[in-house]
Amino acid sequence: MGQEAAALFADLHARCFGAPWPEEDFDRLLASSGVVGLVLEADGEPAGLSLIRTIAGECEILTIGVARAAREKGLGRQLLTASETEARLGGARRMILEVSHTNTPAIALYDRAGYIEIGRRKAYYRDGSDARVLARPL
Ligand SMILES: CC(C)(COP(=O)(O)OP(=O)(O)OC[C@H]1O[C@@H](n2cnc3c(N)ncnc32)[C@H](O)[C@@H]1OP(=O)(O)O)[C@@H](O)C(=O)NCCC(=O)NCCS
């Protein structure tokens, strides 16, 4: 992983989220211990990404997203499954993530995949929404 990978992740992230992360953040994260980045292609083009970090048997999903034009075709589910497989290979026994309680598509994705709420952080996001902390055993 190098600058090229960081640029790819930053570009894809901007196609998935309203608040993009700078390339430097991806550069730093991709070089961090326990971090794995995944890119999913559709029709030969990068269409989705995830970034996961495994520490002491627990894997956190740092970010996961599908480009706007490629949504609701099963790619999010594929990315989540691939992330879980990578996590298992990295020694994780549990997945954990945070999601805004207003993020209906993401909550649907995690619900269908068997994630359950283990905590809630009140007014955690800038828009005032709560973070739901979800987890699933691997
Ligand atoms: C969340 C996200 C990754 C889902 O990706 P996707 O490729 O559209 O998801 P999938 O097509 O694999 O759908 C997975 C499940 O969620 C459901 N779902 C997806 N979008 C939905 C929506 N807008 N409303 C209701 N359900 C939805 C699907 O019906 C599917 O359920 P099923 O298996 O029972 O059919 C995508 O919406 C996204 O990138 N959002 C912006 C970034 C983001 O919020 N990431 C999560 C941060 S925690």
Side-chain angles (χ1 to χ4, degrees), residues 48-81:
L49 83 165
S50 75
L51 209 57
I52 60 174
R53 175 166 51 203
T54 301
I55 298 173
E58 187 161 86
C59 179
E60 183 183 3
I61 299 182
L62 302 175
T63 189
I64 182 167
V66 171
R68 290 173 187 86
R71 287 183 192 162
E72 297 192 54
K73 295 175 186 163
L75 297 184
R77 183 59 189 262
Q78 276 184 52
L79 259 177
L80 185 59
T81 302

Short mmCIF file of all heavy atoms in Angstrom, two decimals, residues 48-81:
data_model
loop_
_atom_site.label_atom_id
_atom_site.label_comp_id
_atom_site.label_asym_id
_atom_site.label_seq_id
_atom_site.Cartn_x
_atom_site.Cartn_y
_atom_site.Cartn_z
N GLY A 48 -16.80 0.21 -4.40
CA GLY A 48 -17.04 0.20 -2.95
C GLY A 48 -15.76 -0.02 -2.20
O GLY A 48 -14.77 -0.51 -2.75
N LEU A 49 -15.76 0.40 -0.93
CA LEU A 49 -14.56 0.23 -0.11
C LEU A 49 -14.94 -0.11 1.32
O LEU A 49 -16.06 0.18 1.76
CB LEU A 49 -13.73 1.52 -0.10
CG LEU A 49 -14.12 2.63 0.90
CD1 LEU A 49 -13.02 3.65 1.03
CD2 LEU A 49 -15.42 3.30 0.49
N SER A 50 -14.02 -0.75 2.00
CA SER A 50 -14.14 -0.86 3.45
C SER A 50 -12.73 -0.81 4.03
O SER A 50 -11.74 -1.11 3.36
CB SER A 50 -14.85 -2.15 3.87
OG SER A 50 -14.00 -3.25 3.73
N LEU A 51 -12.70 -0.36 5.27
CA LEU A 51 -11.44 -0.28 6.01
C LEU A 51 -11.74 -0.86 7.38
O LEU A 51 -12.68 -0.40 8.05
CB LEU A 51 -11.04 1.19 6.13
CG LEU A 51 -9.57 1.56 6.22
CD1 LEU A 51 -8.81 1.02 5.03
CD2 LEU A 51 -9.43 3.08 6.29
N ILE A 52 -10.99 -1.88 7.75
CA ILE A 52 -11.25 -2.54 9.04
C ILE A 52 -9.96 -2.58 9.86
O ILE A 52 -8.86 -2.56 9.30
CB ILE A 52 -11.79 -3.98 8.83
CG1 ILE A 52 -10.78 -4.84 8.06
CG2 ILE A 52 -13.14 -3.96 8.14
CD1 ILE A 52 -11.18 -6.32 7.94
N ARG A 53 -10.13 -2.62 11.18
CA ARG A 53 -8.95 -2.68 12.04
C ARG A 53 -9.18 -3.72 13.13
O ARG A 53 -10.14 -3.63 13.88
CB ARG A 53 -8.68 -1.32 12.70
CG ARG A 53 -7.52 -1.37 13.70
CD ARG A 53 -7.02 -0.01 14.10
NE ARG A 53 -8.09 0.85 14.53
CZ ARG A 53 -8.04 2.18 14.51
NH1 ARG A 53 -6.97 2.80 14.08
NH2 ARG A 53 -9.05 2.90 14.91
N THR A 54 -8.29 -4.70 13.18
CA THR A 54 -8.42 -5.76 14.18
C THR A 54 -7.40 -5.55 15.30
O THR A 54 -6.21 -5.37 15.04
CB THR A 54 -8.20 -7.15 13.53
OG1 THR A 54 -9.18 -7.32 12.50
CG2 THR A 54 -8.35 -8.27 14.55
N ILE A 55 -7.92 -5.53 16.51
CA ILE A 55 -7.07 -5.41 17.70
C ILE A 55 -7.62 -6.37 18.75
O ILE A 55 -8.82 -6.34 19.05
CB ILE A 55 -7.08 -3.98 18.30
CG1 ILE A 55 -6.52 -2.96 17.30
CG2 ILE A 55 -6.29 -3.92 19.61
CD1 ILE A 55 -6.65 -1.51 17.75
N ALA A 56 -6.74 -7.21 19.28
CA ALA A 56 -7.10 -8.10 20.39
C ALA A 56 -8.40 -8.86 20.16
O ALA A 56 -9.31 -8.87 21.00
CB ALA A 56 -7.19 -7.29 21.69
N GLY A 57 -8.51 -9.46 18.97
CA GLY A 57 -9.65 -10.34 18.70
C GLY A 57 -10.93 -9.62 18.32
O GLY A 57 -11.96 -10.27 18.11
N GLU A 58 -10.87 -8.28 18.24
CA GLU A 58 -12.07 -7.54 17.86
C GLU A 58 -11.78 -6.71 16.61
O GLU A 58 -10.74 -6.05 16.54
CB GLU A 58 -12.50 -6.62 18.99
CG GLU A 58 -13.83 -5.96 18.72
CD GLU A 58 -14.47 -5.43 19.99
OE1 GLU A 58 -14.14 -4.31 20.38
OE2 GLU A 58 -15.27 -6.17 20.60
N CYS A 59 -12.69 -6.74 15.65
CA CYS A 59 -12.48 -6.00 14.40
C CYS A 59 -13.48 -4.87 14.29
O CYS A 59 -14.69 -5.09 14.33
CB CYS A 59 -12.62 -6.93 13.21
SG CYS A 59 -12.39 -6.04 11.66
N GLU A 60 -12.96 -3.65 14.15
CA GLU A 60 -13.82 -2.49 13.99
C GLU A 60 -13.91 -2.13 12.50
O GLU A 60 -12.89 -2.08 11.81
CB GLU A 60 -13.23 -1.31 14.76
CG GLU A 60 -14.11 -0.08 14.71
CD GLU A 60 -13.49 1.13 15.41
OE1 GLU A 60 -12.34 1.02 15.89
OE2 GLU A 60 -14.16 2.17 15.44
N ILE A 61 -15.12 -1.86 12.04
CA ILE A 61 -15.29 -1.34 10.69
C ILE A 61 -15.11 0.17 10.78
O ILE A 61 -15.94 0.87 11.35
CB ILE A 61 -16.66 -1.72 10.10
CG1 ILE A 61 -16.79 -3.24 10.03
CG2 ILE A 61 -16.82 -1.10 8.71
CD1 ILE A 61 -18.08 -3.76 9.43
N LEU A 62 -14.00 0.66 10.22
CA LEU A 62 -13.70 2.09 10.29
C LEU A 62 -14.54 2.86 9.28
O LEU A 62 -14.98 3.97 9.54
CB LEU A 62 -12.21 2.34 10.05
CG LEU A 62 -11.25 1.63 11.00
CD1 LEU A 62 -9.81 1.86 10.57
CD2 LEU A 62 -11.46 2.11 12.43
N THR A 63 -14.70 2.26 8.11
CA THR A 63 -15.59 2.85 7.11
C THR A 63 -15.99 1.76 6.12
O THR A 63 -15.23 0.80 5.89
CB THR A 63 -14.93 4.04 6.37
OG1 THR A 63 -15.91 4.69 5.57
CG2 THR A 63 -13.78 3.62 5.49
N ILE A 64 -17.19 1.92 5.57
CA ILE A 64 -17.65 1.01 4.52
C ILE A 64 -18.64 1.80 3.67
O ILE A 64 -19.48 2.53 4.22
CB ILE A 64 -18.28 -0.28 5.11
CG1 ILE A 64 -18.70 -1.25 3.99
CG2 ILE A 64 -19.44 0.02 6.03
CD1 ILE A 64 -19.03 -2.67 4.51
N GLY A 65 -18.51 1.69 2.37
CA GLY A 65 -19.42 2.45 1.52
C GLY A 65 -19.43 1.93 0.09
O GLY A 65 -18.46 1.32 -0.37
N VAL A 66 -20.53 2.20 -0.57
CA VAL A 66 -20.70 1.85 -1.98
C VAL A 66 -21.00 3.15 -2.73
O VAL A 66 -21.79 3.98 -2.25
CB VAL A 66 -21.85 0.82 -2.15
CG1 VAL A 66 -22.19 0.60 -3.62
CG2 VAL A 66 -21.50 -0.50 -1.47
N ALA A 67 -20.37 3.33 -3.88
CA ALA A 67 -20.59 4.56 -4.68
C ALA A 67 -22.08 4.70 -4.97
O ALA A 67 -22.78 3.71 -5.20
CB ALA A 67 -19.78 4.48 -5.97
N ARG A 68 -22.53 5.94 -4.98
CA ARG A 68 -23.98 6.20 -5.09
C ARG A 68 -24.63 5.45 -6.25
O ARG A 68 -25.70 4.87 -6.11
CB ARG A 68 -24.22 7.70 -5.23
CG ARG A 68 -23.92 8.46 -3.94
CD ARG A 68 -23.99 9.97 -4.11
NE ARG A 68 -23.52 10.64 -2.88
CZ ARG A 68 -22.24 10.91 -2.63
NH1 ARG A 68 -21.30 10.57 -3.49
NH2 ARG A 68 -21.89 11.49 -1.49
N ALA A 69 -23.96 5.47 -7.40
CA ALA A 69 -24.54 4.87 -8.61
C ALA A 69 -24.63 3.35 -8.55
O ALA A 69 -25.32 2.74 -9.37
CB ALA A 69 -23.72 5.28 -9.83
N ALA A 70 -23.94 2.73 -7.59
CA ALA A 70 -23.86 1.26 -7.56
C ALA A 70 -24.65 0.65 -6.40
O ALA A 70 -24.53 -0.55 -6.13
CB ALA A 70 -22.39 0.84 -7.47
N ARG A 71 -25.45 1.45 -5.73
CA ARG A 71 -26.13 0.96 -4.52
C ARG A 71 -27.35 0.09 -4.82
O ARG A 71 -27.89 0.12 -5.92
CB ARG A 71 -26.57 2.16 -3.66
CG ARG A 71 -25.37 2.78 -2.99
CD ARG A 71 -25.74 3.92 -2.09
NE ARG A 71 -24.49 4.61 -1.73
CZ ARG A 71 -24.41 5.82 -1.25
NH1 ARG A 71 -25.50 6.51 -1.02
NH2 ARG A 71 -23.24 6.34 -0.97
N GLU A 72 -27.73 -0.64 -3.77
CA GLU A 72 -28.92 -1.51 -3.79
C GLU A 72 -28.85 -2.59 -4.87
O GLU A 72 -29.82 -2.91 -5.53
CB GLU A 72 -30.21 -0.67 -3.90
CG GLU A 72 -30.37 0.23 -2.67
CD GLU A 72 -31.73 0.88 -2.55
OE1 GLU A 72 -32.74 0.15 -2.58
OE2 GLU A 72 -31.77 2.11 -2.42
N LYS A 73 -27.61 -3.10 -5.05
CA LYS A 73 -27.40 -4.21 -5.99
C LYS A 73 -26.65 -5.33 -5.30
O LYS A 73 -26.04 -6.17 -5.95
CB LYS A 73 -26.57 -3.74 -7.19
CG LYS A 73 -27.28 -2.71 -8.07
CD LYS A 73 -26.34 -2.22 -9.16
CE LYS A 73 -26.97 -1.09 -9.95
NZ LYS A 73 -26.00 -0.34 -10.73
N GLY A 74 -26.58 -5.26 -3.96
CA GLY A 74 -25.93 -6.33 -3.21
C GLY A 74 -24.44 -6.12 -2.95
O GLY A 74 -23.79 -6.95 -2.33
N LEU A 75 -23.88 -4.99 -3.41
CA LEU A 75 -22.44 -4.79 -3.25
C LEU A 75 -22.07 -4.51 -1.78
O LEU A 75 -21.02 -4.95 -1.30
CB LEU A 75 -21.94 -3.64 -4.13
CG LEU A 75 -22.08 -3.84 -5.64
CD1 LEU A 75 -21.46 -2.66 -6.38
CD2 LEU A 75 -21.44 -5.13 -6.10
N GLY A 76 -22.93 -3.79 -1.09
CA GLY A 76 -22.67 -3.50 0.32
C GLY A 76 -22.57 -4.79 1.12
O GLY A 76 -21.67 -4.98 1.93
N ARG A 77 -23.49 -5.71 0.85
CA ARG A 77 -23.50 -7.00 1.54
C ARG A 77 -22.21 -7.79 1.20
O ARG A 77 -21.60 -8.39 2.08
CB ARG A 77 -24.75 -7.79 1.14
CG ARG A 77 -24.90 -9.11 1.84
CD ARG A 77 -24.97 -8.90 3.37
NE ARG A 77 -24.89 -10.14 4.10
CZ ARG A 77 -25.95 -10.78 4.58
NH1 ARG A 77 -27.16 -10.31 4.42
NH2 ARG A 77 -25.78 -11.91 5.24
N GLN A 78 -21.82 -7.75 -0.07
CA GLN A 78 -20.59 -8.44 -0.48
C GLN A 78 -19.37 -7.88 0.25
O GLN A 78 -18.50 -8.62 0.71
CB GLN A 78 -20.35 -8.26 -1.98
CG GLN A 78 -21.10 -9.24 -2.85
CD GLN A 78 -20.72 -9.03 -4.32
OE1 GLN A 78 -19.56 -9.00 -4.68
NE2 GLN A 78 -21.71 -8.87 -5.16
N LEU A 79 -19.33 -6.56 0.35
CA LEU A 79 -18.20 -5.91 1.03
C LEU A 79 -18.17 -6.28 2.52
O LEU A 79 -17.09 -6.52 3.08
CB LEU A 79 -18.34 -4.39 0.94
CG LEU A 79 -17.54 -3.65 -0.09
CD1 LEU A 79 -17.90 -2.18 -0.07
CD2 LEU A 79 -16.03 -3.83 0.12
N LEU A 80 -19.36 -6.28 3.11
CA LEU A 80 -19.43 -6.61 4.54
C LEU A 80 -18.96 -8.05 4.77
O LEU A 80 -18.17 -8.32 5.68
CB LEU A 80 -20.88 -6.40 5.03
CG LEU A 80 -21.11 -6.57 6.52
CD1 LEU A 80 -20.26 -5.61 7.35
CD2 LEU A 80 -22.60 -6.36 6.85
N THR A 81 -19.44 -8.96 3.92
CA THR A 81 -19.04 -10.37 4.06
C THR A 81 -17.53 -10.53 3.86
O THR A 81 -16.86 -11.24 4.62
CB THR A 81 -19.81 -11.23 3.03
OG1 THR A 81 -21.19 -11.05 3.26
CG2 THR A 81 -19.47 -12.70 3.15
#
